[in-house]
mmCIF file of all heavy atoms in Angstrom:
data_model
loop_
_atom_site.group_PDB
_atom_site.id
_atom_site.type_symbol
_atom_site.label_atom_id
_atom_site.label_comp_id
_atom_site.label_asym_id
_atom_site.label_seq_id
_atom_site.Cartn_x
_atom_site.Cartn_y
_atom_site.Cartn_z
ATOM 1 N N GLN A 1 138.730 170.551 153.998
ATOM 2 C CA GLN A 1 139.417 171.641 154.689
ATOM 3 C C GLN A 1 140.734 171.162 155.299
ATOM 4 O O GLN A 1 141.746 171.875 155.271
ATOM 5 C CB GLN A 1 138.506 172.218 155.780
ATOM 6 C CG GLN A 1 137.220 172.850 155.273
ATOM 7 C CD GLN A 1 137.474 173.988 154.297
ATOM 8 O OE1 GLN A 1 138.454 174.741 154.430
ATOM 9 N NE2 GLN A 1 136.602 174.137 153.313
ATOM 10 N N THR A 2 140.737 169.961 155.837
ATOM 11 C CA THR A 2 141.960 169.395 156.414
ATOM 12 C C THR A 2 143.040 169.238 155.356
ATOM 13 O O THR A 2 144.208 169.617 155.559
ATOM 14 C CB THR A 2 141.665 168.028 157.055
ATOM 15 O OG1 THR A 2 140.720 168.198 158.115
ATOM 16 C CG2 THR A 2 142.928 167.394 157.599
ATOM 17 N N ILE A 3 142.661 168.692 154.221
ATOM 18 C CA ILE A 3 143.627 168.452 153.146
ATOM 19 C C ILE A 3 144.170 169.765 152.590
ATOM 20 O O ILE A 3 145.377 169.926 152.391
ATOM 21 C CB ILE A 3 142.980 167.616 152.025
ATOM 22 C CG1 ILE A 3 142.636 166.220 152.547
ATOM 23 C CG2 ILE A 3 143.920 167.513 150.817
ATOM 24 C CD1 ILE A 3 141.778 165.398 151.596
ATOM 25 N N VAL A 4 143.277 170.703 152.345
ATOM 26 C CA VAL A 4 143.696 171.992 151.786
ATOM 27 C C VAL A 4 144.644 172.712 152.736
ATOM 28 O O VAL A 4 145.678 173.261 152.317
ATOM 29 C CB VAL A 4 142.461 172.862 151.470
ATOM 30 C CG1 VAL A 4 142.866 174.316 151.247
ATOM 31 C CG2 VAL A 4 141.753 172.327 150.231
ATOM 32 N N ALA A 5 144.315 172.730 154.013
ATOM 33 C CA ALA A 5 145.179 173.402 154.988
ATOM 34 C C ALA A 5 146.571 172.785 155.009
ATOM 35 O O ALA A 5 147.582 173.494 155.050
ATOM 36 C CB ALA A 5 144.541 173.345 156.378
ATOM 37 N N GLU A 6 146.634 171.473 154.981
ATOM 38 C CA GLU A 6 147.929 170.789 155.038
ATOM 39 C C GLU A 6 148.726 170.975 153.748
ATOM 40 O O GLU A 6 149.913 171.311 153.787
ATOM 41 C CB GLU A 6 147.714 169.302 155.294
ATOM 42 C CG GLU A 6 149.012 168.517 155.367
ATOM 43 C CD GLU A 6 148.772 167.051 155.662
ATOM 44 O OE1 GLU A 6 148.006 166.762 156.595
ATOM 45 O OE2 GLU A 6 149.340 166.214 154.947
ATOM 46 N N LYS A 7 148.083 170.764 152.631
ATOM 47 C CA LYS A 7 148.783 170.837 151.345
ATOM 48 C C LYS A 7 149.221 172.265 151.019
ATOM 49 O O LYS A 7 150.343 172.490 150.546
ATOM 50 C CB LYS A 7 147.888 170.301 150.229
ATOM 51 C CG LYS A 7 147.490 168.846 150.372
ATOM 52 C CD LYS A 7 148.614 167.916 150.020
ATOM 53 C CE LYS A 7 148.141 166.476 149.965
ATOM 54 N NZ LYS A 7 149.218 165.518 149.642
ATOM 55 N N ASN A 8 148.343 173.220 151.267
ATOM 56 C CA ASN A 8 148.674 174.603 150.924
ATOM 57 C C ASN A 8 149.768 175.169 151.819
ATOM 58 O O ASN A 8 150.481 176.101 151.429
ATOM 59 C CB ASN A 8 147.429 175.480 150.987
ATOM 60 C CG ASN A 8 146.480 175.235 149.811
ATOM 61 O OD1 ASN A 8 146.858 174.593 148.825
ATOM 62 N ND2 ASN A 8 145.267 175.746 149.912
ATOM 63 N N ALA A 9 149.916 174.606 153.016
ATOM 64 C CA ALA A 9 150.955 175.093 153.926
ATOM 65 C C ALA A 9 152.357 174.752 153.434
ATOM 66 O O ALA A 9 153.337 175.355 153.881
ATOM 67 C CB ALA A 9 150.741 174.515 155.317
ATOM 68 N N THR A 10 152.445 173.788 152.522
ATOM 69 C CA THR A 10 153.766 173.353 152.055
ATOM 70 C C THR A 10 153.999 173.669 150.573
ATOM 71 O O THR A 10 154.920 173.139 149.962
ATOM 72 C CB THR A 10 153.925 171.840 152.271
ATOM 73 O OG1 THR A 10 152.904 171.134 151.544
ATOM 74 C CG2 THR A 10 153.810 171.487 153.745
ATOM 75 N N LEU A 11 153.186 174.538 150.002
ATOM 76 C CA LEU A 11 153.343 174.883 148.589
ATOM 77 C C LEU A 11 154.642 175.647 148.347
ATOM 78 O O LEU A 11 155.032 176.505 149.137
ATOM 79 C CB LEU A 11 152.167 175.736 148.116
ATOM 80 C CG LEU A 11 150.808 175.058 147.920
ATOM 81 C CD1 LEU A 11 149.775 176.078 147.483
ATOM 82 C CD2 LEU A 11 150.895 173.922 146.909
ATOM 83 N N ALA A 12 155.283 175.315 147.254
ATOM 84 C CA ALA A 12 156.453 176.083 146.831
ATOM 85 C C ALA A 12 155.993 177.371 146.159
ATOM 86 O O ALA A 12 154.848 177.481 145.715
ATOM 87 C CB ALA A 12 157.298 175.253 145.867
ATOM 88 N N GLU A 13 156.865 178.320 146.095
ATOM 89 C CA GLU A 13 156.528 179.603 145.483
ATOM 90 C C GLU A 13 156.092 179.389 144.031
ATOM 91 O O GLU A 13 156.731 178.684 143.263
ATOM 92 C CB GLU A 13 157.737 180.538 145.520
ATOM 93 C CG GLU A 13 157.432 181.939 145.017
ATOM 94 C CD GLU A 13 158.627 182.874 145.159
ATOM 95 O OE1 GLU A 13 159.627 182.456 145.770
ATOM 96 O OE2 GLU A 13 158.544 184.006 144.651
ATOM 97 N N GLY A 14 154.984 180.011 143.695
ATOM 98 C CA GLY A 14 154.477 179.919 142.337
ATOM 99 C C GLY A 14 153.474 178.811 142.115
ATOM 100 O O GLY A 14 152.806 178.788 141.071
ATOM 101 N N GLN A 15 153.359 177.869 143.053
ATOM 102 C CA GLN A 15 152.387 176.791 142.898
ATOM 103 C C GLN A 15 150.983 177.275 143.215
ATOM 104 O O GLN A 15 150.781 178.097 144.116
ATOM 105 C CB GLN A 15 152.733 175.615 143.821
ATOM 106 C CG GLN A 15 153.923 174.788 143.375
ATOM 107 C CD GLN A 15 154.122 173.579 144.268
ATOM 108 O OE1 GLN A 15 154.237 173.702 145.486
ATOM 109 N NE2 GLN A 15 154.170 172.400 143.666
ATOM 110 N N GLU A 16 150.014 176.759 142.478
ATOM 111 C CA GLU A 16 148.620 177.121 142.694
ATOM 112 C C GLU A 16 148.085 176.442 143.945
ATOM 113 O O GLU A 16 148.274 175.232 144.123
ATOM 114 C CB GLU A 16 147.774 176.714 141.492
ATOM 115 C CG GLU A 16 147.998 177.548 140.241
ATOM 116 C CD GLU A 16 147.458 178.961 140.397
ATOM 117 O OE1 GLU A 16 146.459 179.141 141.137
ATOM 118 O OE2 GLU A 16 148.039 179.871 139.802
ATOM 119 N N PRO A 17 147.438 177.190 144.824
ATOM 120 C CA PRO A 17 146.857 176.564 146.022
ATOM 121 C C PRO A 17 145.672 175.675 145.672
ATOM 122 O O PRO A 17 144.967 175.915 144.681
ATOM 123 C CB PRO A 17 146.423 177.764 146.875
ATOM 124 C CG PRO A 17 146.198 178.862 145.887
ATOM 125 C CD PRO A 17 147.205 178.652 144.795
ATOM 126 N N LEU A 18 145.468 174.666 146.486
ATOM 127 C CA LEU A 18 144.299 173.816 146.309
ATOM 128 C C LEU A 18 143.038 174.560 146.725
ATOM 129 O O LEU A 18 143.066 175.418 147.623
ATOM 130 C CB LEU A 18 144.423 172.551 147.167
ATOM 131 C CG LEU A 18 145.471 171.516 146.767
ATOM 132 C CD1 LEU A 18 145.469 170.386 147.779
ATOM 133 C CD2 LEU A 18 145.221 170.987 145.373
ATOM 134 N N VAL A 19 141.929 174.221 146.083
ATOM 135 C CA VAL A 19 140.622 174.780 146.427
ATOM 136 C C VAL A 19 139.770 173.649 146.979
ATOM 137 O O VAL A 19 139.608 172.606 146.327
ATOM 138 C CB VAL A 19 139.941 175.412 145.198
ATOM 139 C CG1 VAL A 19 138.556 175.934 145.563
ATOM 140 C CG2 VAL A 19 140.813 176.519 144.620
ATOM 141 N N ALA A 20 139.249 173.813 148.178
ATOM 142 C CA ALA A 20 138.535 172.743 148.870
ATOM 143 C C ALA A 20 137.398 172.169 148.036
ATOM 144 O O ALA A 20 137.225 170.943 147.956
ATOM 145 C CB ALA A 20 138.011 173.254 150.207
ATOM 146 N N GLU A 21 136.635 173.038 147.391
ATOM 147 C CA GLU A 21 135.461 172.586 146.652
ATOM 148 C C GLU A 21 135.820 171.705 145.464
ATOM 149 O O GLU A 21 134.965 170.982 144.936
ATOM 150 C CB GLU A 21 134.644 173.785 146.166
ATOM 151 C CG GLU A 21 133.904 174.540 147.262
ATOM 152 C CD GLU A 21 134.849 175.371 148.135
ATOM 153 O OE1 GLU A 21 135.996 175.620 147.700
ATOM 154 O OE2 GLU A 21 134.431 175.742 149.248
ATOM 155 N N ASN A 22 137.058 171.739 145.041
ATOM 156 C CA ASN A 22 137.472 170.929 143.893
ATOM 157 C C ASN A 22 137.843 169.500 144.266
ATOM 158 O O ASN A 22 138.005 168.642 143.397
ATOM 159 C CB ASN A 22 138.671 171.578 143.184
ATOM 160 C CG ASN A 22 138.311 172.896 142.514
ATOM 161 O OD1 ASN A 22 137.133 173.158 142.253
ATOM 162 N ND2 ASN A 22 139.304 173.723 142.250
ATOM 163 N N LEU A 23 137.995 169.249 145.558
ATOM 164 C CA LEU A 23 138.397 167.917 146.003
ATOM 165 C C LEU A 23 137.205 166.965 146.012
ATOM 166 O O LEU A 23 136.101 167.320 146.429
ATOM 167 C CB LEU A 23 139.016 167.978 147.396
ATOM 168 C CG LEU A 23 140.297 168.812 147.517
ATOM 169 C CD1 LEU A 23 140.798 168.792 148.953
ATOM 170 C CD2 LEU A 23 141.373 168.311 146.566
ATOM 171 N N THR A 24 137.433 165.751 145.552
ATOM 172 C CA THR A 24 136.390 164.733 145.465
ATOM 173 C C THR A 24 136.584 163.665 146.543
ATOM 174 O O THR A 24 137.594 163.648 147.252
ATOM 175 C CB THR A 24 136.433 164.057 144.092
ATOM 176 O OG1 THR A 24 137.681 163.335 143.960
ATOM 177 C CG2 THR A 24 136.327 165.089 142.964
ATOM 178 N N GLN A 25 135.605 162.761 146.635
ATOM 179 C CA GLN A 25 135.754 161.635 147.555
ATOM 180 C C GLN A 25 136.985 160.797 147.189
ATOM 181 O O GLN A 25 137.693 160.295 148.073
ATOM 182 C CB GLN A 25 134.505 160.742 147.514
ATOM 183 C CG GLN A 25 133.234 161.390 148.046
ATOM 184 C CD GLN A 25 133.187 161.424 149.576
ATOM 185 O OE1 GLN A 25 134.205 161.365 150.258
ATOM 186 N NE2 GLN A 25 131.976 161.529 150.122
ATOM 187 N N GLU A 26 137.245 160.667 145.899
ATOM 188 C CA GLU A 26 138.438 159.925 145.462
ATOM 189 C C GLU A 26 139.708 160.584 145.988
ATOM 190 O O GLU A 26 140.657 159.897 146.398
ATOM 191 C CB GLU A 26 138.482 159.831 143.939
ATOM 192 C CG GLU A 26 137.463 158.876 143.332
ATOM 193 C CD GLU A 26 136.081 159.487 143.189
ATOM 194 O OE1 GLU A 26 135.898 160.676 143.558
ATOM 195 O OE2 GLU A 26 135.171 158.775 142.708
ATOM 196 N N ASP A 27 139.732 161.918 145.968
ATOM 197 C CA ASP A 27 140.889 162.638 146.487
ATOM 198 C C ASP A 27 141.083 162.368 147.979
ATOM 199 O O ASP A 27 142.216 162.237 148.461
ATOM 200 C CB ASP A 27 140.730 164.149 146.258
ATOM 201 C CG ASP A 27 140.750 164.525 144.791
ATOM 202 O OD1 ASP A 27 141.496 163.893 144.020
ATOM 203 O OD2 ASP A 27 140.012 165.458 144.411
ATOM 204 N N VAL A 28 139.979 162.302 148.710
ATOM 205 C CA VAL A 28 140.062 162.056 150.152
ATOM 206 C C VAL A 28 140.598 160.655 150.425
ATOM 207 O O VAL A 28 141.480 160.467 151.273
ATOM 208 C CB VAL A 28 138.686 162.243 150.816
ATOM 209 C CG1 VAL A 28 138.738 161.789 152.279
ATOM 210 C CG2 VAL A 28 138.242 163.699 150.734
ATOM 211 N N VAL A 29 140.091 159.661 149.706
ATOM 212 C CA VAL A 29 140.576 158.297 149.900
ATOM 213 C C VAL A 29 142.062 158.215 149.561
ATOM 214 O O VAL A 29 142.855 157.597 150.293
ATOM 215 C CB VAL A 29 139.768 157.305 149.043
ATOM 216 C CG1 VAL A 29 140.377 155.901 149.126
ATOM 217 C CG2 VAL A 29 138.308 157.267 149.487
ATOM 218 N N THR A 30 142.463 158.851 148.474
ATOM 219 C CA THR A 30 143.873 158.871 148.089
ATOM 220 C C THR A 30 144.731 159.506 149.181
ATOM 221 O O THR A 30 145.810 158.993 149.525
ATOM 222 C CB THR A 30 144.060 159.638 146.768
ATOM 223 O OG1 THR A 30 143.309 158.987 145.744
ATOM 224 C CG2 THR A 30 145.525 159.697 146.363
ATOM 225 N N TYR A 31 144.260 160.599 149.733
ATOM 226 C CA TYR A 31 144.972 161.291 150.817
ATOM 227 C C TYR A 31 145.148 160.376 152.033
ATOM 228 O O TYR A 31 146.236 160.293 152.618
ATOM 229 C CB TYR A 31 144.194 162.544 151.209
ATOM 230 C CG TYR A 31 144.657 163.225 152.464
ATOM 231 C CD1 TYR A 31 145.735 164.099 152.455
ATOM 232 C CD2 TYR A 31 143.990 163.014 153.672
ATOM 233 C CE1 TYR A 31 146.151 164.744 153.619
ATOM 234 C CE2 TYR A 31 144.395 163.644 154.836
ATOM 235 C CZ TYR A 31 145.481 164.501 154.811
ATOM 236 O OH TYR A 31 145.895 165.122 155.967
ATOM 237 N N ILE A 32 144.086 159.662 152.406
ATOM 238 C CA ILE A 32 144.152 158.770 153.559
ATOM 239 C C ILE A 32 145.164 157.646 153.320
ATOM 240 O O ILE A 32 145.947 157.292 154.214
ATOM 241 C CB ILE A 32 142.756 158.194 153.870
ATOM 242 C CG1 ILE A 32 141.849 159.317 154.409
ATOM 243 C CG2 ILE A 32 142.840 157.047 154.882
ATOM 244 C CD1 ILE A 32 140.393 158.933 154.533
ATOM 245 N N LEU A 33 145.180 157.112 152.124
ATOM 246 C CA LEU A 33 146.155 156.066 151.803
ATOM 247 C C LEU A 33 147.578 156.605 151.859
ATOM 248 O O LEU A 33 148.489 155.942 152.368
ATOM 249 C CB LEU A 33 145.869 155.486 150.420
ATOM 250 C CG LEU A 33 144.534 154.755 150.237
ATOM 251 C CD1 LEU A 33 144.412 154.225 148.814
ATOM 252 C CD2 LEU A 33 144.376 153.626 151.240
ATOM 253 N N GLU A 34 147.781 157.809 151.357
ATOM 254 C CA GLU A 34 149.119 158.410 151.367
ATOM 255 C C GLU A 34 149.578 158.742 152.781
ATOM 256 O O GLU A 34 150.765 158.631 153.110
ATOM 257 C CB GLU A 34 149.126 159.677 150.513
ATOM 258 C CG GLU A 34 148.980 159.405 149.017
ATOM 259 C CD GLU A 34 148.843 160.688 148.210
ATOM 260 O OE1 GLU A 34 148.660 161.767 148.836
ATOM 261 O OE2 GLU A 34 148.901 160.613 146.970
ATOM 262 N N LYS A 35 148.638 159.142 153.645
ATOM 263 C CA LYS A 35 148.977 159.500 155.030
ATOM 264 C C LYS A 35 149.277 158.271 155.890
ATOM 265 O O LYS A 35 149.846 158.401 156.970
ATOM 266 C CB LYS A 35 147.823 160.282 155.665
ATOM 267 C CG LYS A 35 147.650 161.688 155.132
ATOM 268 C CD LYS A 35 148.731 162.629 155.643
ATOM 269 C CE LYS A 35 148.562 162.936 157.106
ATOM 270 N NZ LYS A 35 149.571 163.922 157.587
ATOM 271 N N ASN A 36 148.893 157.117 155.414
ATOM 272 C CA ASN A 36 149.077 155.889 156.192
ATOM 273 C C ASN A 36 149.800 154.849 155.338
ATOM 274 O O ASN A 36 149.203 153.855 154.893
ATOM 275 C CB ASN A 36 147.714 155.368 156.656
ATOM 276 C CG ASN A 36 147.002 156.344 157.574
ATOM 277 O OD1 ASN A 36 147.329 156.473 158.738
ATOM 278 N ND2 ASN A 36 146.032 157.064 157.019
ATOM 279 N N PRO A 37 151.089 155.032 155.118
ATOM 280 C CA PRO A 37 151.832 154.159 154.198
ATOM 281 C C PRO A 37 152.009 152.731 154.701
ATOM 282 O O PRO A 37 152.389 151.853 153.919
ATOM 283 C CB PRO A 37 153.186 154.865 154.074
ATOM 284 C CG PRO A 37 153.325 155.639 155.348
ATOM 285 C CD PRO A 37 151.940 156.108 155.676
#
């Protein structure tokens, strides 16, 4: 829910919104690494 809220808030017009249920543990780890460069 955290990732979807953040990512979807910055979508450009025409981009498909993220769906929370589609995100995996790998996606979460990737997000954490990207948020902490």
Side-chain angles (χ1 to χ4, degrees):
Q1 297 301 325
T2 298
I3 295 170
V4 165
E6 180 178 312
K7 298 284 189 181
N8 286 347
T10 60
L11 287 179
E13 185 176 353
Q15 286 185 305
E16 289 290 329
L18 290 177
V19 178
E21 289 73 17
N22 293 340
L23 298 180
T24 65
Q25 294 282 23
E26 287 82 0
D27 294 324
V28 172
V29 174
T30 300
Y31 169 82
I32 291 170
L33 296 181
E34 291 174 349
K35 289 286 289 183
N36 298 284

